[in-house]
Amino acid sequence: MFKDCTIKNSGGEKIFRLEIADTFLKRFLGLMGRKKIPAGQGLLILPCNSIHMLFMRFSIDAVYVDENFIVKKIVRNLPAWYGMSICAGAHAVIELAAGEAERLNFQIGSKIIF
């Protein structure tokens, strides 16, 4: 299932699409096995406050949000097969292709609206 979203911050608004991973299997699989994720799309994993990069084929940007979908932390260009990332207190994480967080102007404090 995809949802259209808007990110609001001091730089204005940008629209993007999120695939929702809200079951155990969808959260477990995440982006593993995929060759890429298209520009303007991402995967919202919830609930989630940490991710790993095992079995990934490409680098990603990870955007952690709280329960109100306010951006708490942005990890840019997290390489495939390299460790993990965590954000204490995060409610969910948005996984985007590397470079998309900057292109979409994600900032700490940005609000995601569904």
Side-chain angles (χ1 to χ4, degrees):
M1 165 178 46
F2 283 90
K3 290 197 176 212
D4 290 332
C5 304
T6 304
I7 180 166
K8 285 188 167 189
N9 56 39
S10 61
E13 296 182 10
K14 298 271 182 145
I15 297 173
F16 61 103
R17 298 191 82 200
L18 286 178
E19 181 179 352
I20 311 298
D22 57 357
T23 66
F24 174 79
L25 185 59
K26 288 179 183 177
R27 288 192 318 265
F28 174 76
L29 292 175
L31 295 175
M32 287 189 303
R34 298 187 195 187
K35 292 182 180 178
K36 66 178 183 174
I37 189 163
Q41 289 187 12
L43 178 69
L44 173 66
I45 304 173
L46 79 151
C48 181
N49 69 354
S50 65
I51 59 172
H52 67 82
M53 294 299 292
L54 297 175
F55 307 106
M56 290 287 292
R57 297 179 179 189
F58 54 94
S59 298
I60 65 168
D61 291 342
V63 179
Y64 292 91
V65 296
D66 65 15
E67 302 84 12
N68 298 311
F69 294 94
I70 304 289
V71 176
K72 294 180 57 79
K73 179 179 179 180
I74 302 167
V75 180
R76 299 180 194 279
N77 204 25
L78 193 57
W81 285 96
Y82 180 75
M84 64 181 294
S85 174
I86 190 167
C87 179
H91 173 68
V93 63
I94 299 169
E95 295 182 343
L96 305 159
E100 281 294 281
E102 183 174 348
R103 189 184 75 77
L104 292 169
N105 198 27
F106 276 86
Q107 301 169 4
I108 303 299
S110 295
K111 170 86 173 152
I112 310 298
I113 300 170
F114 294 89

